[in-house]
Amino acid sequence: MMGGYGDVQLLKEDGTRLDGRAVDEMRPVEIKVGVLPAAQGSAWVKQGLNVAVCAVYGPMEAHPRKIQRQDRAVLDVRYNMAPFSTGERIRPGFNRRAREISKVTAEALESVVLLERYPRSKIRVEIEILAAEAGTRCAGITAASMALADAGIPMRDLVVGIASGKIQDTVVLDLDKAEDNYGQADLPAGICPNTGELVFLQMDGDLSIEEYNLAMEYNFKAAAEIHEIMVAALAAKYGGGEA
Ligand code: ADP
């Protein structure tokens, strides 16, 4: 949530951020697939201090019957933050925020998964945030698209989750916890790296048109970098260099 504490210093004299990053520099990203042996597909994403794990089960017959679609599969997406994922223990349970993030994540993934291949089926996508330091919905989306790929579910493209935002009237890429808490705006996006399509977009706080354009330029640049890491993670398990 954007706190809007305009007086908190988040940029240093030399224009770099408190953790030493340049304004257009993302946090380090590491990705692995096939981390959960029981799942059809799985992925682990570390982005800065965030850790997201995703498990994919299915396609399986959709139950109860009333959730079935005759012509396509349904995605059953659940985002959850582990109680130990933040310094202050989180009350377990499916709250309003988790429900909202699950819904927008499902919508992003529905844009790329070839659901019509699996009529009357369900694909379960479980995202668990093990460590949360701002940007978890983005790490979760990246992890989910990797776990779906690992499960062999056909997709038109992968989805990269990445956010830019505004701190001290300056547009920056990939806000960390302090920047998210005390910053002015946050613009998380879901980007298809091959098609350049946008399948998810939210905005918290205000950006001018110029600021929005710069934030999206940063998001697209980072998505290309993260895509390379995703491709390398798939190649590490399956061989090859194309995805
Ligand atoms: P995102 O994680 O996608 O940036 P938010 O902007 O809602 O989503 O949350 C920013 C950060 O605030 C989270 O990554 C997490 O570190 C922290 N946070 C969110 N919800 C809670 C909560 N219920 N208790 C403690 N910290 C939380």
Side-chain angles (χ1 to χ4, degrees):
M1 284 295 148
M2 294 294 109
Y5 300 87
D7 50 347
V8 175
Q9 285 292 316
L10 296 165
L11 289 169
K12 296 189 276 193
E13 294 275 297
D14 63 2
T16 62
R17 297 148 77 175
L18 295 185
D19 65 359
R21 281 186 292 157
V23 290
D24 62 349
E25 190 178 342
M26 67 178 190
R27 292 171 288 185
V29 172
E30 288 172 50
I31 301 176
K32 287 190 192 115
V33 290
V35 293
L36 302 172
Q40 253 93 57
S42 58
W44 172 92
V45 172
K46 182 162 184 277
Q47 181 154 12
L49 300 177
N50 293 305
V51 178
V53 169
C54 179
V56 166
Y57 292 91
M60 61 186 94
E61 198 181 339
H63 280 300
R65 264 271 180 80
K66 65 175 188 203
I67 69 160
Q68 278 189 9
R69 300 289 301 261
Q70 289 309 308
D71 57 339
R72 63 175 180 89
V74 290
L75 290 183
D76 183 6
V77 178
R78 205 182 63 112
Y79 161 104
N80 186 59
M81 274 184 21
F84 54 80
S85 63
T86 61
E88 247 174 88
R89 192 170 190 279
I90 294 171
R91 204 186 152 89
F94 202 51
N95 56 25
R96 212 182 129 265
R97 175 178 171 276
R99 197 180 302 275
E100 173 222 317
I101 295 176
S102 301
K103 182 171 183 289
V104 295
T105 302
E107 287 167 357
L109 298 170
E110 278 162 9
S111 306
V112 294
V113 176
L114 302 182
L115 297 169
E116 63 280 6
R117 298 275 179 96
Y118 306 105
R120 293 180 295 282
S121 310
K122 174 171 94 172
I123 301 169
R124 234 175 84 207
V125 180
E126 302 263 0
I127 300 164
E128 190 72 17
I129 305 302
L130 300 183
E133 286 285 332
T136 61
R137 74 194 62 207
C138 291
I141 285 174
T142 304
S145 88
M146 290 298 282
L148 284 162
D150 185 46
I153 310 276
M155 290 187 280
R156 291 189 297 112
D157 204 345
L158 293 167
V159 184
V160 185
I162 183 70
S164 284
K166 182 165 78 163
I167 57 168
Q168 274 180 249
D169 297 322
T170 305
V171 175
V172 297
L173 174 60
D174 194 21
L175 305 192
D176 67 16
K177 191 73 168 65
E179 294 172 337
D180 182 88
N181 280 354
Y182 303 111
Q184 296 158 300
D186 189 16
L187 185 74
I191 294 171
C192 295
N194 285 309
T195 65
E197 245 178 288
L198 204 55
V199 291
F200 155 65
L201 187 64
Q202 293 188 305
M203 187 157 92
D204 193 5
D206 290 318
L207 293 171
S208 69
I209 290 172
E210 292 75 20
E211 288 166 342
Y212 170 88
N213 287 337
L214 183 57
M216 284 311 283
E217 188 186 314
Y218 286 173
N219 280 346
F220 273 89
K221 184 180 77 86
E225 283 177 45
I226 295 172
H227 182 228
E228 283 185 24
I229 300 166
M230 295 164 92
V231 170
L234 289 168
K237 180 172 174 190
Y238 296 102
E242 291 298 306

